[in-house]
Amino acid sequence: ENPRGDTFTSPATLANRTRAAKAGSLAAEAALVASRAPLSRDENYLRELRERVARSRDPEAFLAMADAMGPEASSLPHVFGPESGTEEATLAWTLAACRTGLDCRSNGALMTTYCLAGICGPYNNFEQLVFEGLLPASERNRINEMVGRVISHGE
């Protein structure tokens, strides 16, 4: 099917995600938003996708959506909600992924990614990294409230 062998190039990854999203993968659908290539750019679709991710309790979908909720989402707060448009929003959605079942331990894929970027330090899990390594203690309550709102959007 792929005579050139470029399975892991950006165009091939995008095509594979699109196929997976159209086949029903919520995480792939959210990843397309993060890749700036959503199935639709319609604001109602994007709002509904955020709500479907929240309702799903799918940690992989939360993680994929986290990448779309950073500063690049700041122009669409009416679509993505108040838990979007900042680096803290990205962290909140990622913590929501952890709290809904993603492996966020020190030897899990998420922490490995942060370690490869040189950010992991001596932390046992992603939550500890966020609250002890990335953010000041004064932000803990605000971020926890954001995580709660992210998870409860679907209720």
Side-chain angles (χ1 to χ4, degrees):
E1 299 244 296
N2 189 357
R4 295 188 329 220
D6 59 352
T7 304
F8 298 109
T9 65
S10 283
T13 299
L14 193 58
N16 289 336
R17 279 189 183 146
T18 301
R19 274 194 296 280
K22 288 179 177 179
S25 169
L26 189 58
E29 200 173 346
L32 288 171
V33 175
S35 299
R36 298 183 185 158
L39 291 179
S40 170
R41 295 191 184 282
D42 178 75
E43 290 183 357
N44 288 326
Y45 162 78
L46 295 170
R47 185 178 301 107
E48 193 263 338
L49 174 60
R50 175 197 40 121
E51 292 168 2
R52 282 191 292 130
V53 169
R55 279 192 311 268
S56 75
R57 297 296 194 266
D58 177 343
E60 296 292 336
F62 273 103
L63 183 62
M65 202 67 175
D67 290 335
M69 292 299 170
E72 60 278 355
S74 63
S75 64
L76 296 170
H78 59 288
V79 173
F80 292 122
E83 291 73 43
S84 67
T86 64
E87 291 299 330
E88 290 83 1
T90 300
L91 293 174
W93 279 83
T94 305
L95 286 167
C98 294
R99 292 181 187 176
T100 56
L102 188 75
D103 182 358
C104 295
R105 296 172 298 171
S106 61
N107 60 347
L110 178 65
M111 284 294 284
T112 300
T113 301
Y114 274 80
C115 290
L116 290 173
I119 304 174
C120 64
Y123 307 105
N124 294 320
N125 57 51
F126 185 74
E127 190 152 340
Q128 187 180 30
L129 167 66
V130 168
F131 291 124
E132 295 177 19
L134 296 177
L135 296 175
S138 61
E139 291 292 302
R140 184 181 203 109
N141 286 342
R142 188 171 73 82
I143 297 299
N144 276 324
E145 288 170 5
M146 286 178 74
V147 174
R149 286 191 304 270
V150 164
I151 291 173
S152 69
H153 268 303
E155 295 177 352

